[in-house]
Amino acid sequence: MMKRSSIPVATGLYVNYLLFGMYNIMLASHMSFLTEHLHTDPAGISLLVSAMGFGRLFTLYISGVLSDRYGRKPFIVAAGLLMAVFLVGIPLSPTFEMAMVLAVLAGVANSFLDSGTYPALIETFPQSSGSATVLVRGFISIGAAFLPLMIIFFMNHDIFYGVSFFLAALIFALNAVYLFRMKFPDMRVQPAKEQRGGISVSSAEQTETRKLKANDESKPRFWQEGVCLILLGFTGPTLLYIVQLWLPTFGQQFIGMTESESLRLLVYYNMGSLVSVFVLVIVLRKWVKPVHIILIYPCISLLAFGALLLFKSGAIAIICASVIGFSISGVLQLTLTVMSEFFSQRKGQITGFIYTATSLSYTLIPVFTGFLLKHSQISSVFMLAIIVNVLGIALAVFVNFRYSAVFPAKRELPSQIVLDTK
């Protein structure tokens, strides 16, 4: 259950990710405006997106370690302020080089936000951490669904495109001040009881469980399931970024949609993502474990990507965009939740591991897909998505196998298993 004292902090954390949903697709959604303003082309804008991933990649691990040492609040507050600087700076940037510097700064802000927020949510809601982290995806989806509609409104009324940047920056800055005044949960305190599958487990039962689990097969192994989960931190965001960056282009070039119609595909994608969040919040409480979702969802998205390429139809594209949004949503957050179950004593550090892989995706995929698009058709980008999706399914199968070996009984707690790095 959500404690009343947790609501103010959680509200601020989720508002950040609602804004992040807009921030995350801000450059791609303003591609036509930014290419003119910065005197570049779509490949140049994808390079800016990669610069954001670069800044994130080289700061995320260390920010996760420092978050474990110094607390979550300083990084979350700093992230909001840095994101505000980026959002104000891009529309006012006089040169492409200055925009590149701001993009790297935005990546640093992103790493601060992730390394502070996810551990903070797990510590705020220790008995429902899966639902708490999945809700992040819901708020990202709300922001990402709202932004294209706002852009279309500004286009129709001849309003300066930078207004959407400035509004998000203002709210980021105000929310940073709000969170600075909030009291965060003590990250050193462990709850007396935890729940798994709706069953409450006492400290005595935890001790008994620890004694029962003595063989090597029951110990989490970082170089097996840990590495697979880190790789899932690459494959999941790769699918997400391909869709967010290139779905409008796919609609225009492959299906023949207009620019405004293709932008609405992102709205349908994010509406599917939002529906998924509500479904996950319900099913994760009683029926399904996070480790099962990270296998089921990629199977669904694989079918949707296949249908998107097979059927050249606007109506089918809308359905597939919604299903892809539904099946991609929350996978990254649940991957982190599963990782924290296997290796529960280093939440900030494992956040750094997974989101470093995510940053590699954010850095490499815009450049690589931009290269594909220059030398091939947009369909080749979505064929890449299918290949990555199949790899994600294979990784999830192995993680589920290891999960059943490490946690064979419903009443077992991951926090009681000793890390084995063999």
Side-chain angles (χ1 to χ4, degrees):
M1 294 294 292
M2 180 180 291
K3 295 181 180 179
R4 187 169 299 178
S5 60
S6 302
I7 294 175
V9 172
T11 300
L13 297 178
Y14 287 130
V15 165
N16 268 344
Y17 275 94
L18 186 149
L19 296 168
F20 180 78
M22 301 171 65
Y23 157 98
N24 203 34
I25 62 170
M26 193 72 78
L27 296 181
S29 299
H30 288 92
M31 192 170 290
S32 60
F33 298 108
L34 290 171
T35 51
E36 181 180 352
H37 174 70
L38 297 172
H39 308 291
T40 185
D41 56 16
I45 302 305
S46 68
L47 189 60
L48 283 179
V49 176
S50 291
M52 294 170 67
F54 180 84
R56 193 172 186 266
L57 173 64
F58 286 97
T59 55
L60 189 49
Y61 176 76
I62 187 63
S63 67
V65 173
L66 293 176
S67 170
D68 281 341
R69 180 175 298 180
Y70 298 111
R72 318 306 181 191
K73 183 194 288 189
F75 294 90
I76 295 170
V77 172
L81 296 176
L82 289 175
M83 286 179 174
V85 170
F86 165 77
L87 289 167
V88 171
I90 286 292
L92 303 179
S93 179
T95 65
F96 181 79
E97 290 74 19
M98 177 61 73
M100 285 287 288
V101 173
L102 289 169
V104 173
L105 185 67
V108 175
N110 193 346
S111 72
F112 284 3
L113 187 68
D114 287 339
S115 61
T117 302
Y118 285 103
L121 285 171
I122 292 171
E123 289 153 5
T124 303
F125 307 111
Q127 296 182 354
S128 54
S129 58
S131 298
T133 55
V134 164
L135 278 174
V136 168
R137 182 64 244 177
F139 282 93
I140 291 175
S141 299
I142 293 171
F146 179 71
L147 181 65
L149 298 176
M150 185 166 64
I151 293 171
I152 292 170
F153 176 83
F154 289 166
M155 288 170 59
N156 292 338
H157 291 81
D158 294 323
I159 297 174
F160 175 51
Y161 78 92
V163 173
S164 56
F165 286 79
F166 300 152
L167 285 174
L170 176 62
I171 303 173
F172 258 130
L174 292 174
N175 198 48
V177 174
Y178 168 80
L179 285 170
F180 180 75
R181 302 179 58 155
M182 292 293 103
K183 182 179 180 181
F184 278 59
D186 189 344
M187 61 184 185
R188 296 167 298 180
V189 175
Q190 297 295 328
K193 291 186 178 182
E194 296 189 36
Q195 290 186 353
R196 293 292 183 271
I199 300 176
S200 182
V201 184
S202 68
S203 298
E205 291 170 325
Q206 295 175 26
T207 303
E208 181 181 356
T209 295
R210 184 174 65 247
K211 290 177 180 178
L212 289 173
K213 304 304 297 175
N215 62 79
D216 283 345
E217 286 301 314
S218 68
K219 297 178 182 179
R221 295 174 177 176
F222 182 81
W223 296 112
Q224 293 185 19
E225 59 267 28
V227 170
C228 285
L229 286 162
I230 291 170
L231 291 175
L232 281 169
F234 180 90
T235 59
T238 294
L239 297 178
L240 185 149
Y241 236 76
I242 286 174
V243 174
Q244 289 185 337
L245 195 56
W246 299 116
L247 186 59
T249 304
F250 181 88
Q252 292 176 56
Q253 295 185 7
F254 191 79
I255 300 174
M257 292 178 159
T258 65
E259 184 176 1
S260 61
E261 287 173 341
S262 65
L263 277 172
R264 284 191 174 91
L265 285 179
L266 285 177
V267 177
Y268 292 114
Y269 162 80
N270 285 292
M271 291 304 295
S273 179
L274 188 59
V275 170
S276 175
V277 169
F278 290 116
V279 171
L280 287 177
V281 167
I282 294 170
V283 301
L284 286 172
R285 291 179 66 87
K286 293 183 179 180
W287 297 294
V288 184
K289 294 179 180 180
V291 72
H292 299 147
I293 296 295
I294 66 173
L295 174 58
I296 295 169
Y297 268 25
C299 293
I300 297 172
S301 64
L302 179 63
L303 296 175
F305 276 117
L308 191 65
L309 285 168
L310 284 174
F311 303 103
K312 210 171 183 178
S313 160
I316 295 296
I318 289 172
I319 295 171
C320 289
S322 302
V323 173
I324 290 170
F326 180 91
S327 54
I328 291 178
S329 177
V331 172
L332 176 61
Q333 289 76 19
L334 290 179
T335 298
L336 177 60
T337 300
V338 174
M339 187 77 159
S340 70
E341 288 188 68
F342 277 110
F343 312 108
S344 61
Q345 300 304 314
R346 299 180 292 173
K347 292 187 287 292
Q349 190 177 25
I350 63 175
T351 300
F353 281 135
I354 288 181
Y355 280 96
T356 296
T358 301
S359 297
L360 274 173
S361 173
Y362 288 174
T363 304
L364 298 177
I365 291 305
V367 173
F368 185 66
T369 54
F371 173 82
L372 277 179
L373 196 58
K374 268 191 172 182
H375 295 83
S376 185
Q377 299 178 340
I378 186 65
S379 57
S380 64
V381 174
F382 283 79
M383 283 299 300
L384 173 66
I386 288 178
I387 294 170
V388 172
N389 203 328
V390 171
L391 175 60
I393 290 172
L395 292 168
V397 167
F398 181 77
V399 170
N400 272 265
F401 170 76
R402 286 293 301 150
Y403 192 92
S404 64
V406 175
F407 312 121
K410 291 183 179 179
R411 293 160 66 90
E412 287 195 66
L413 286 180
S415 59
Q416 301 304 319
I417 309 299
V418 179
L419 174 64
D420 181 3
T421 57
K422 292 181 182 177

mmCIF file of all heavy atoms in Angstrom, residues 36-61:
data_model
loop_
_atom_site.group_PDB
_atom_site.id
_atom_site.type_symbol
_atom_site.label_atom_id
_atom_site.label_comp_id
_atom_site.label_asym_id
_atom_site.label_seq_id
_atom_site.Cartn_x
_atom_site.Cartn_y
_atom_site.Cartn_z
ATOM 1 N N GLU A 36 16.253 23.323 -40.108
ATOM 2 C CA GLU A 36 16.332 24.679 -40.670
ATOM 3 C C GLU A 36 17.065 25.622 -39.730
ATOM 4 O O GLU A 36 17.930 26.398 -40.149
ATOM 5 C CB GLU A 36 14.923 25.200 -40.961
ATOM 6 C CG GLU A 36 14.904 26.587 -41.579
ATOM 7 C CD GLU A 36 13.488 27.069 -41.860
ATOM 8 O OE1 GLU A 36 12.539 26.268 -41.724
ATOM 9 O OE2 GLU A 36 13.337 28.261 -42.194
ATOM 10 N N HIS A 37 16.730 25.564 -38.441
ATOM 11 C CA HIS A 37 17.322 26.482 -37.468
ATOM 12 C C HIS A 37 18.826 26.247 -37.310
ATOM 13 O O HIS A 37 19.603 27.207 -37.189
ATOM 14 C CB HIS A 37 16.616 26.319 -36.123
ATOM 15 C CG HIS A 37 17.228 27.102 -35.009
ATOM 16 N ND1 HIS A 37 17.171 28.470 -34.936
ATOM 17 C CD2 HIS A 37 17.942 26.704 -33.916
ATOM 18 C CE1 HIS A 37 17.808 28.892 -33.849
ATOM 19 N NE2 HIS A 37 18.281 27.832 -33.215
ATOM 20 N N LEU A 38 19.243 24.975 -37.300
ATOM 21 C CA LEU A 38 20.645 24.636 -37.054
ATOM 22 C C LEU A 38 21.428 24.392 -38.346
ATOM 23 O O LEU A 38 22.594 23.989 -38.297
ATOM 24 C CB LEU A 38 20.729 23.399 -36.153
ATOM 25 C CG LEU A 38 20.136 23.560 -34.745
ATOM 26 C CD1 LEU A 38 20.105 22.222 -34.016
ATOM 27 C CD2 LEU A 38 20.910 24.593 -33.937
ATOM 28 N N HIS A 39 20.771 24.596 -39.494
ATOM 29 C CA HIS A 39 21.424 24.451 -40.802
ATOM 30 C C HIS A 39 22.047 23.063 -40.965
ATOM 31 O O HIS A 39 23.229 22.917 -41.276
ATOM 32 C CB HIS A 39 22.490 25.535 -41.008
ATOM 33 C CG HIS A 39 21.985 26.926 -40.769
ATOM 34 N ND1 HIS A 39 21.077 27.549 -41.595
ATOM 35 C CD2 HIS A 39 22.244 27.811 -39.763
ATOM 36 C CE1 HIS A 39 20.802 28.766 -41.130
ATOM 37 N NE2 HIS A 39 21.494 28.941 -40.020
ATOM 38 N N THR A 40 21.218 22.048 -40.738
ATOM 39 C CA THR A 40 21.680 20.668 -40.840
ATOM 40 C C THR A 40 20.621 19.842 -41.562
ATOM 41 O O THR A 40 19.716 20.398 -42.199
ATOM 42 C CB THR A 40 22.010 20.103 -39.445
ATOM 43 O OG1 THR A 40 22.568 18.794 -39.582
ATOM 44 C CG2 THR A 40 20.793 20.053 -38.553
ATOM 45 N N ASP A 41 20.714 18.512 -41.471
ATOM 46 C CA ASP A 41 19.750 17.610 -42.103
ATOM 47 C C ASP A 41 19.283 16.595 -41.055
ATOM 48 O O ASP A 41 19.748 16.627 -39.909
ATOM 49 C CB ASP A 41 20.383 16.921 -43.319
ATOM 50 C CG ASP A 41 21.659 16.170 -42.964
ATOM 51 O OD1 ASP A 41 21.897 15.927 -41.761
ATOM 52 O OD2 ASP A 41 22.425 15.826 -43.888
ATOM 53 N N PRO A 42 18.343 15.683 -41.420
ATOM 54 C CA PRO A 42 17.888 14.700 -40.430
ATOM 55 C C PRO A 42 19.007 13.871 -39.811
ATOM 56 O O PRO A 42 18.939 13.505 -38.632
ATOM 57 C CB PRO A 42 16.921 13.830 -41.253
ATOM 58 C CG PRO A 42 16.373 14.755 -42.278
ATOM 59 C CD PRO A 42 17.525 15.652 -42.645
ATOM 60 N N ALA A 43 20.054 13.578 -40.593
ATOM 61 C CA ALA A 43 21.194 12.835 -40.028
ATOM 62 C C ALA A 43 21.878 13.649 -38.936
ATOM 63 O O ALA A 43 22.368 13.093 -37.941
ATOM 64 C CB ALA A 43 22.191 12.492 -41.127
ATOM 65 N N GLY A 44 21.911 14.985 -39.098
ATOM 66 C CA GLY A 44 22.494 15.846 -38.073
ATOM 67 C C GLY A 44 21.675 15.830 -36.791
ATOM 68 O O GLY A 44 22.233 15.834 -35.683
ATOM 69 N N ILE A 45 20.345 15.796 -36.933
ATOM 70 C CA ILE A 45 19.492 15.725 -35.736
ATOM 71 C C ILE A 45 19.678 14.384 -35.040
ATOM 72 O O ILE A 45 19.710 14.308 -33.804
ATOM 73 C CB ILE A 45 18.018 15.946 -36.120
ATOM 74 C CG1 ILE A 45 17.847 17.302 -36.823
ATOM 75 C CG2 ILE A 45 17.132 15.892 -34.871
ATOM 76 C CD1 ILE A 45 18.352 18.495 -36.049
ATOM 77 N N SER A 46 19.806 13.299 -35.809
ATOM 78 C CA SER A 46 20.055 11.992 -35.179
ATOM 79 C C SER A 46 21.408 11.987 -34.476
ATOM 80 O O SER A 46 21.600 11.292 -33.461
ATOM 81 C CB SER A 46 19.982 10.872 -36.223
ATOM 82 O OG SER A 46 21.042 10.952 -37.141
ATOM 83 N N LEU A 47 22.356 12.785 -34.973
ATOM 84 C CA LEU A 47 23.654 12.914 -34.303
ATOM 85 C C LEU A 47 23.499 13.627 -32.959
ATOM 86 O O LEU A 47 24.163 13.280 -31.977
ATOM 87 C CB LEU A 47 24.628 13.682 -35.199
ATOM 88 C CG LEU A 47 26.096 13.714 -34.746
ATOM 89 C CD1 LEU A 47 26.663 12.312 -34.652
ATOM 90 C CD2 LEU A 47 26.922 14.567 -35.710
ATOM 91 N N LEU A 48 22.600 14.611 -32.896
ATOM 92 C CA LEU A 48 22.305 15.267 -31.617
ATOM 93 C C LEU A 48 21.728 14.268 -30.624
ATOM 94 O O LEU A 48 22.081 14.279 -29.432
ATOM 95 C CB LEU A 48 21.311 16.418 -31.821
ATOM 96 C CG LEU A 48 21.822 17.723 -32.410
ATOM 97 C CD1 LEU A 48 20.670 18.723 -32.551
ATOM 98 C CD2 LEU A 48 22.925 18.325 -31.545
ATOM 99 N N VAL A 49 20.823 13.416 -31.119
ATOM 100 C CA VAL A 49 20.241 12.395 -30.248
ATOM 101 C C VAL A 49 21.338 11.451 -29.737
ATOM 102 O O VAL A 49 21.351 11.070 -28.565
ATOM 103 C CB VAL A 49 19.147 11.612 -31.007
ATOM 104 C CG1 VAL A 49 18.599 10.476 -30.138
ATOM 105 C CG2 VAL A 49 18.010 12.544 -31.428
ATOM 106 N N SER A 50 22.271 11.101 -30.608
ATOM 107 C CA SER A 50 23.394 10.253 -30.194
ATOM 108 C C SER A 50 24.282 10.952 -29.174
ATOM 109 O O SER A 50 24.815 10.309 -28.262
ATOM 110 C CB SER A 50 24.230 9.864 -31.413
ATOM 111 O OG SER A 50 23.526 8.978 -32.244
ATOM 112 N N ALA A 51 24.441 12.273 -29.318
ATOM 113 C CA ALA A 51 25.246 13.025 -28.349
ATOM 114 C C ALA A 51 24.610 12.969 -26.964
ATOM 115 O O ALA A 51 25.314 12.907 -25.943
ATOM 116 C CB ALA A 51 25.395 14.480 -28.806
ATOM 117 N N MET A 52 23.273 12.968 -26.924
ATOM 118 C CA MET A 52 22.586 12.800 -25.643
ATOM 119 C C MET A 52 22.925 11.439 -25.041
ATOM 120 O O MET A 52 23.211 11.318 -23.844
ATOM 121 C CB MET A 52 21.079 12.949 -25.835
ATOM 122 C CG MET A 52 20.641 14.350 -26.248
ATOM 123 S SD MET A 52 18.902 14.436 -26.756
ATOM 124 C CE MET A 52 18.074 14.081 -25.206
ATOM 125 N N GLY A 53 22.897 10.399 -25.886
ATOM 126 C CA GLY A 53 23.257 9.066 -25.413
ATOM 127 C C GLY A 53 24.702 8.996 -24.957
ATOM 128 O O GLY A 53 25.025 8.317 -23.987
ATOM 129 N N PHE A 54 25.587 9.728 -25.647
ATOM 130 C CA PHE A 54 27.009 9.767 -25.282
ATOM 131 C C PHE A 54 27.189 10.351 -23.882
ATOM 132 O O PHE A 54 27.916 9.796 -23.046
ATOM 133 C CB PHE A 54 27.768 10.600 -26.319
ATOM 134 C CG PHE A 54 29.243 10.711 -26.064
ATOM 135 C CD1 PHE A 54 30.119 9.726 -26.490
ATOM 136 C CD2 PHE A 54 29.763 11.808 -25.393
ATOM 137 C CE1 PHE A 54 31.482 9.825 -26.249
ATOM 138 C CE2 PHE A 54 31.122 11.924 -25.151
ATOM 139 C CZ PHE A 54 31.982 10.916 -25.574
ATOM 140 N N GLY A 55 26.533 11.475 -23.614
ATOM 141 C CA GLY A 55 26.628 12.088 -22.287
ATOM 142 C C GLY A 55 26.086 11.190 -21.200
ATOM 143 O O GLY A 55 26.629 11.124 -20.088
ATOM 144 N N ARG A 56 25.041 10.453 -21.524
ATOM 145 C CA ARG A 56 24.427 9.531 -20.574
ATOM 146 C C ARG A 56 25.337 8.336 -20.319
ATOM 147 O O ARG A 56 25.518 7.896 -19.185
ATOM 148 C CB ARG A 56 23.095 9.075 -21.158
ATOM 149 C CG ARG A 56 22.160 8.356 -20.216
ATOM 150 C CD ARG A 56 20.830 8.165 -20.927
ATOM 151 N NE ARG A 56 19.829 7.607 -20.057
ATOM 152 C CZ ARG A 56 19.565 6.315 -19.957
ATOM 153 N NH1 ARG A 56 20.253 5.448 -20.684
ATOM 154 N NH2 ARG A 56 18.620 5.883 -19.141
ATOM 155 N N LEU A 57 25.912 7.821 -21.407
ATOM 156 C CA LEU A 57 26.743 6.619 -21.325
ATOM 157 C C LEU A 57 27.920 6.794 -20.383
ATOM 158 O O LEU A 57 28.213 5.920 -19.562
ATOM 159 C CB LEU A 57 27.236 6.261 -22.732
ATOM 160 C CG LEU A 57 28.255 5.129 -22.848
ATOM 161 C CD1 LEU A 57 27.644 3.814 -22.385
ATOM 162 C CD2 LEU A 57 28.744 5.009 -24.288
ATOM 163 N N PHE A 58 28.595 7.925 -20.464
ATOM 164 C CA PHE A 58 29.844 8.092 -19.721
ATOM 165 C C PHE A 58 29.654 8.666 -18.316
ATOM 166 O O PHE A 58 30.635 8.942 -17.631
ATOM 167 C CB PHE A 58 30.821 8.943 -20.539
ATOM 168 C CG PHE A 58 31.411 8.195 -21.692
ATOM 169 C CD1 PHE A 58 30.874 8.310 -22.965
ATOM 170 C CD2 PHE A 58 32.472 7.333 -21.504
ATOM 171 C CE1 PHE A 58 31.400 7.596 -24.028
ATOM 172 C CE2 PHE A 58 33.009 6.611 -22.561
ATOM 173 C CZ PHE A 58 32.467 6.744 -23.824
ATOM 174 N N THR A 59 28.421 8.848 -17.906
ATOM 175 C CA THR A 59 28.197 9.338 -16.538
ATOM 176 C C THR A 59 27.251 8.456 -15.730
ATOM 177 O O THR A 59 27.173 8.599 -14.513
ATOM 178 C CB THR A 59 27.623 10.763 -16.561
ATOM 179 O OG1 THR A 59 26.432 10.791 -17.366
ATOM 180 C CG2 THR A 59 28.626 11.751 -17.117
ATOM 181 N N LEU A 60 26.548 7.531 -16.396
ATOM 182 C CA LEU A 60 25.491 6.801 -15.694
ATOM 183 C C LEU A 60 26.027 5.865 -14.621
ATOM 184 O O LEU A 60 25.504 5.835 -13.505
ATOM 185 C CB LEU A 60 24.650 6.021 -16.715
ATOM 186 C CG LEU A 60 23.375 5.381 -16.190
ATOM 187 C CD1 LEU A 60 22.549 6.365 -15.380
ATOM 188 C CD2 LEU A 60 22.549 4.837 -17.320
ATOM 189 N N TYR A 61 27.061 5.099 -14.923
ATOM 190 C CA TYR A 61 27.561 4.152 -13.918
ATOM 191 C C TYR A 61 28.064 4.885 -12.682
ATOM 192 O O TYR A 61 27.710 4.543 -11.549
ATOM 193 C CB TYR A 61 28.672 3.278 -14.497
ATOM 194 C CG TYR A 61 29.261 2.356 -13.461
ATOM 195 C CD1 TYR A 61 28.567 1.221 -13.049
ATOM 196 C CD2 TYR A 61 30.486 2.638 -12.859
ATOM 197 C CE1 TYR A 61 29.091 0.389 -12.075
ATOM 198 C CE2 TYR A 61 31.017 1.809 -11.894
ATOM 199 C CZ TYR A 61 30.314 0.681 -11.499
ATOM 200 O OH TYR A 61 30.823 -0.132 -10.525
#
